[in-house]
Amino acid sequence: MVQPFIVNLVFGISCEGVFTDQYEEQLRLVFSENEQTAIDTAKQLATEITCDFTDRVGRTIGWKFIAVKDIMPVELNNGSLIHSSIKETEPIGMI
């Protein structure tokens, strides 16, 4: 039976002649029979969308797949939790 998985893909971004140390994380929905085939499908998808392109000033930008960071099965029901994130901030002042 096919089931849905959320996969977290990590891509490295490089810029010709400039050290960027940039990364992009994407959450993608993958339908698969099991976790291993979901990982394989996610890797294939990530490899297909990896690319190099030229920016507006003529530099080559590299966008390369690095890894599947995480995978989790999900339930696709109305109101299902897909993503949650807690951010801590430092107070800027006290009254």
Side-chain angles (χ1 to χ4, degrees), residues 57-78:
V57 295
R59 297 175 298 199
T60 300
I61 306 297
W63 194 59
K64 306 289 184 213
F65 171 62
I66 296 174
V68 174
K69 181 178 175 182
D70 195 15
I71 183 169
M72 60 185 147
V74 293
E75 292 183 27
L76 295 181
N77 299 314
N78 188 36

Side-chain angles (χ1 to χ4, degrees), residues 37-87:
T37 57
I39 291 170
D40 294 341
T41 300
K43 286 179 179 179
Q44 180 180 351
L45 171 67
T47 301
E48 290 171 4
I49 61 176
T50 294
C51 66
D52 291 336
F53 60 93
T54 303
D55 71 3
R56 65 179 181 263
V57 295
R59 297 175 298 199
T60 300
I61 306 297
W63 194 59
K64 306 289 184 213
F65 171 62
I66 296 174
V68 174
K69 181 178 175 182
D70 195 15
I71 183 169
M72 60 185 147
V74 293
E75 292 183 27
L76 295 181
N77 299 314
N78 188 36
S80 293
L81 178 65
I82 300 298
H83 177 74
S84 175
S85 178
I86 297 173
K87 306 283 186 198

Side-chain angles (χ1 to χ4, degrees), residues 6-7 20 23 48 69 75:
I6 297 289
V7 292
T20 59
Y23 299 90
E48 290 171 4
K69 181 178 175 182
E75 292 183 27

